[in-house]
Amino acid sequence: MIQNSTKYTLLYIGDDQVLVDLFLEKTQVEQVGNAFAASKLLEGNNKFDALIVERDLPGQNGIDFHDSFIKSFDPARRIPYLLVDTDKKPEIIQQSIKSGIDDFYSKPLNVERVLGRIAFLKELKLKMHQQKVVEEHRELKEYKIGFLKRTFDILVAGTALLVAAPFLLLFIIAIRMESKGKVYYISKRVGTGYKIFNFLKLRSMYPDADQRLKEFAHLNQYASEKEEVKKEVSIKNTDNDTVLYGDDVEVSEFKHIEKRKGEQDKAFVKFENDPRITKVGHVIRKLSIDELPQLINVLKGDMSIVGNRPLPLYEAELLTTDDWTSRFNGPAGITGLWQVEARGRTSKMSPEERKSLDNQYVEIANSRFAFWKDIWIILRTIPAVFQKENV
């Protein structure tokens, strides 16, 4: 949060005068129209507390300028760098994450929120510098699938598709008879190294399921469980809490931290007895038949038979801290460690447990025994498919 006396000096790179005027009501702003002018201004000048940069700039865009800014003017990464765009495009968010940009905002901006984020980033970067642990932003290691694993994937996927073809045809007819719409479902998913690809499934929900996601948000298993935990923990931490002072508000430091953690915990979405699922959908999900088209993804190289589940964009977009991004350093897969652990459990899996299992599998995938561990997971998947729990 921003202290009452805090008055930042920001460098805005862009031509949105309305945005400049909004910031001028709260703090000091210097404006330049392009990356070249910004470079000239930054030479020998380190007075800026943060940079707010439009993605769409004449000449060098905001993402490309970030790379040169870090190399030339801020190698210790002590100055917050915020990217601004007219809307949230998945490919732009992906580029920003890989580039190491501190944060991304789409217009219209909430100035108070942005200034609060700058305050948080400045404090965090200062502490890291004082502890001598400042380093270049860790880029995701590009996972390379081994020859044995890739050969196994092609053989299994190809054989399974041939064997399953008659059953697929029957269920395709059943899906079409129950509800109108396409019999298959294509969604954008984020896999290895934040690579976005078209994820294939048989449609098990009604055609408007994505649009109804917010309608049933209160049923999200992960979100509701986290709220109960937060209630219990907040009671224990009230006595030792610290108050953070903003321009117009006082906020509990504990609640502020928990709110930020909650944004990541709620990234995973799972409904118990999901009302969006059709009758045929319940059957094909129970038997995991809806997953069969993903064998095509395996043949294309988007996924592997075993790996971490590729996530929808709205989930992956929130998982950008070091603890979470580790899960993207291994292969994306149809089945994996957390699926076989979750099926058949009487208690539901928390986001922390799922994160731990995803990260654990990444370590396995990069070890000498990766292939044999995959075989072990596959053998556990077969009986797990028929367990009661639906993951």
Side-chain angles (χ1 to χ4, degrees), residues 319-378:
L319 307 185
T320 58
T321 62
D322 286 349
D323 285 346
W324 288 102
T325 54
S326 295
R327 76 175 308 282
F328 297 102
N329 293 345
I334 294 177
T335 187
L337 193 57
W338 82 264
Q339 286 98 326
V340 297
E341 293 291 340
R343 287 186 186 269
R345 283 177 46 144
T346 56
S347 60
K348 297 179 178 66
M349 182 171 289
S350 69
E352 288 79 9
E353 289 176 305
R354 178 171 171 179
K355 174 181 67 176
S356 176
L357 288 171
D358 283 350
N359 290 343
Q360 184 180 335
Y361 179 74
V362 170
E363 294 180 5
I364 293 170
N366 290 282
S367 71
R368 294 168 51 193
F369 307 103
F371 178 76
W372 300 111
K373 189 68 174 182
D374 284 356
I375 298 298
W376 176 79
I377 290 174
I378 291 172

Side-chain angles (χ1 to χ4, degrees), residues 87-209:
D87 55 15
K88 284 189 174 182
K89 297 178 181 178
E91 61 271 19
I92 301 302
I93 295 174
Q94 182 186 18
Q95 292 176 25
S96 302
I97 291 171
K98 286 189 174 182
S99 183
I101 289 172
D102 291 311
D103 215 334
F104 177 95
Y105 289 91
S106 58
K107 297 180 181 178
L109 268 63
N110 181 320
V111 173
E112 290 287 353
R113 181 183 175 189
V114 173
L115 292 177
R117 179 62 171 164
I118 290 172
F120 173 80
L121 288 170
K122 283 182 64 66
E123 182 179 357
L124 175 65
K125 288 171 179 286
L126 178 60
K127 287 181 178 179
M128 291 176 66
H129 180 75
Q130 290 172 339
Q131 295 170 3
K132 298 181 181 180
V133 294
V134 174
E135 58 184 49
E136 290 296 321
H137 184 78
R138 177 174 57 84
E139 296 183 357
L140 288 171
K141 298 177 182 177
E142 185 176 357
Y143 172 80
K144 296 292 186 181
I145 189 169
F147 174 78
L148 187 60
K149 184 177 178 68
R150 181 59 182 154
T151 302
F152 178 80
D153 286 343
I154 293 173
L155 290 175
V156 171
T159 303
L161 279 173
L162 288 174
V163 173
F167 302 99
L168 278 173
L169 180 60
L170 290 175
F171 280 104
I172 285 172
I173 295 172
I175 292 169
R176 176 54 63 87
M177 291 178 65
E178 181 179 12
S179 60
K180 295 180 180 180
K182 296 179 179 179
V183 297
Y184 57 87
Y185 175 72
I186 297 178
S187 67
K188 297 291 183 181
R189 292 291 179 101
V190 181
T192 305
Y194 282 95
K195 176 188 175 184
I196 299 175
F197 63 93
N198 290 326
F199 181 82
L200 308 176
K201 294 184 74 172
L202 286 181
R203 180 170 61 81
S204 60
M205 294 184 175
Y206 292 100
D208 62 347

Side-chain angles (χ1 to χ4, degrees), residues 19-33:
L19 183 60
V20 173
D21 293 339
L22 286 174
F23 276 102
L24 283 173
E25 294 178 4
K26 297 291 183 180
T27 191
Q28 299 176 2
V29 182
E30 289 196 33
Q31 178 185 8
V32 293

Side-chain angles (χ1 to χ4, degrees), residues 13 158 171 247 275 287 356 370 386:
I13 307 175
F171 280 104
D247 288 339
L287 300 177
S356 176
F386 301 100

